[in-house]
Amino acid sequence: MTTEVKNAAPKTAATEKQQGIDNHKKAAMHLEQAAKHHHEAAKLLSEGHEDKACGCSAKADGHSILAKKAQKKNLKKMAVS
């Protein structure tokens, strides 16, 4: 049995910068999705569909959590710099 050693590509300033850009885009996309689900929850709630509104609210919360994770990655990189 052979073991392969993976050589990690060295992190360059360009790849670090691209990762930051990607994290910002990811955070923005998740925040937009969270907003969409909150709007849908408000609409459903006003129509009396509490159970469906609760589901939309849970989806919004999930997107908010994912956005926060992407934001934290960028904050950690900025703190180290």
Side-chain angles (χ1 to χ4, degrees):
M1 184 168 143
T2 62
T3 329
E4 289 184 37
V5 176
K6 292 184 180 181
N7 292 330
K11 290 186 179 182
T12 63
T15 58
E16 289 284 326
K17 183 177 180 181
Q18 187 58 49
Q19 286 177 343
I21 292 166
D22 292 343
N23 283 334
H24 280 297
K25 287 182 178 182
K26 220 181 271 189
M29 185 270 305
H30 284 299
L31 290 170
E32 289 166 354
Q33 288 296 311
K36 182 186 107 178
H37 288 299
H38 277 300
H39 284 295
E40 183 68 15
K43 178 182 164 242
L44 289 167
L45 199 55
S46 70
E47 294 171 352
H49 303 288
E50 289 86 6
D51 55 337
K52 290 181 182 179
C54 184
C56 286
S57 185
K59 288 177 187 176
D61 188 46
H63 281 289
S64 295
I65 290 168
L66 293 173
K68 187 81 171 172
K69 285 182 181 181
Q71 289 171 326
K72 274 187 175 183
K73 283 183 184 180
N74 277 347
L75 287 173
K76 283 181 185 177
K77 288 181 188 288
M78 285 186 246
V80 171
S81 301

